Amino acid sequence: QDYNATIEFYWAPFLAESNSDDAVVHRVTDRIVRGTAIEKHAKFWKGADVVVFNTYLWWMTGQKMKILQNSFEDQNKDIKEMETEDAYGMVLNAVAKWVENNMDPKSSRAFFVTMSPTHTQSKDWGDKSDGNCYNQTNPIKDLSYWGPGTSKGLMRVIGEVFSASKVPVGVVNITQLSEYRKDAHTQIYKKQWNPLTPEQIANPKSYADCTHWCLPGLQDTWNELLYAKLFFP
Ligand SMILES: *[C@@H]1O[C@H](CO)[C@@H](O)[C@H](O)[C@H]1NC(C)=O
Ligand SMILES: *[C@@H]1O[C@H](CO)[C@@H](O)[C@H](O)[C@H]1NC(C)=O
Ligand SMILES: *[C@@H]1O[C@H](CO)[C@@H](O)[C@H](O)[C@H]1NC(C)=O
């Protein structure tokens, strides 16, 4: 209140227009992104003093990305398949261009937060028990640890796009420090959207969430880094 500040969260999992844009009904498996069309969302970002972007996990489909060339209203959808990294780069470039055209670097700031890792298989960190993040209480101590679920290719794209952008976009690089935190996920301690079955209850590992994080927790560290970049550029 002292600063008359407002904070908003805006849902756009691909930043560009997509078939997953509904803030509630978005659990689609066949994801389609409409190329560089970011205006649908970007018009709501206009006028912000600070914008913090991020987009990652939704791109990890394990397949090529489906890019829509025409519009979602068109009967015959013109879909082109693209390598995930190329499609990701295309959208990030559109975001960088939008920042250039719509944000004044003298009075506003833009940031991009890198990928948030997952911990879905304990064998990734050398634990042979066939577990996941469930019941993990310590961070990974190997400083070079990088999980196989985290795309180095997309990280490279982030570096390339934002180091070349005309208006500075600060990269808040939270990936490596978050890789260590196999102990920081919500595990079983979260709201369950569907009632648990007796089989699940008997085997907590089976429904442990190893993607999202507890609060307070790791994300407070991300915020410290953002704070440092914001006030001590
Ligand atoms: C607070 O911000 C709003 C929106 O930008 C603006 O309309 C209003 O005049 C501001 N109030 C003060 C006291 O600065
Ligand atoms: C959780 O981990 C502790 C310590 O490694 C172990 O003793 C315990 O059996 C584990 N609990 C479950 C339910 O797996
Ligand atoms: C983020 O940090 C990791 C680990 O230190 C590094 O490998 C990567 O190049 C960095 N990425 C960017 C875009 O700065």
Side-chain angles (χ1 to χ4, degrees):
Q1 278 180 330
D2 288 352
Y3 298 91
N4 193 22
T6 55
I7 300 179
E8 297 176 35
F9 173 76
Y10 186 92
W11 169 265
F14 293 97
L15 297 180
E17 184 176 353
S18 79
N19 65 347
S20 312
D21 286 344
D22 191 290
V24 181
V25 189
H26 55 235
R27 294 179 178 217
V28 297
T29 45
D30 191 27
R31 298 171 189 176
I32 303 171
V33 179
R34 192 172 156 224
T36 53
I38 65 164
E39 200 48 36
K40 176 192 172 191
H41 300 303
K43 63 173 186 275
F44 296 105
W45 310 336
K46 258 196 169 143
D49 299 308
V50 178
V51 183
V52 182
F53 296 105
N54 120 284
T55 178
Y56 172 55
L57 206 55
W58 284 72
W59 296 86
M60 301 302 285
T61 59
Q63 304 155 10
K64 289 192 174 181
M65 284 308 298
K66 293 200 171 81
I67 304 299
L68 181 67
Q69 314 274 67
N70 49 359
S71 91
F72 281 105
E73 284 74 45
D74 285 316
Q75 288 275 304
N76 297 313
K77 301 222 173 358
D78 179 6
I79 288 175
K80 184 174 133 195
E81 295 208 335
M82 268 177 103
E83 295 296 338
T84 303
E85 286 163 26
D86 297 337
Y88 191 74
M90 181 178 75
V91 170
L92 293 199
N93 271 309
V95 170
K97 192 100 205 127
W98 183 88
V99 170
E100 198 183 306
N101 292 335
N102 294 279
M103 291 182 74
D104 177 359
K106 288 194 212 70
S107 57
S108 59
R109 308 276 303 276
F111 297 95
F112 188 90
V113 181
T114 64
M115 307 95 79
S116 167
T118 60
H119 295 88
T120 53
Q121 297 186 92
S122 59
K123 67 174 167 51
D124 295 342
W125 54 87
D127 171 347
K128 297 191 180 59
S129 68
D130 189 33
N132 54 25
C133 71
Y134 174 63
N135 202 23
Q136 296 293 325
T137 52
N138 286 302
I140 292 165
K141 301 221 166 54
D142 171 8
L143 292 185
S144 66
Y145 180 78
W146 186 278
T150 312
S151 168
K152 287 201 159 143
L154 295 192
M155 180 64 102
R156 202 180 52 241
V157 172
I158 296 170
E160 283 165 7
V161 170
F162 295 118
S163 62
S165 60
K166 292 209 189 79
V167 169
V169 176
V171 173
V172 185
N173 194 345
I174 55 95
T175 307
Q176 180 76 73
L177 66 99
S178 307
E179 286 286 1
Y180 309 137
R181 297 302 308 278
K182 64 180 166 62
D183 58 323
H185 291 283
T186 54
Q187 304 187 11
I188 60 174
Y189 307 103
K190 59 175 271 188
K191 176 175 173 174
Q192 302 300 330
W193 297 97
N194 301 309
L196 297 170
T197 62
E199 290 75 24
Q200 284 177 310
I201 292 166
N203 180 15
K205 186 191 95 180
S206 70
Y207 69 95
D209 181 334
C210 301
T211 297
H212 300 100
W213 309 98
C214 287
L215 279 175
L218 175 64
Q219 277 142 324
D220 298 310
T221 303
W222 302 356
N223 285 340
E224 297 268 348
L225 292 177
L226 176 64
Y227 180 88
K229 282 190 179 276
L230 195 53
F231 292 101
F232 308 95

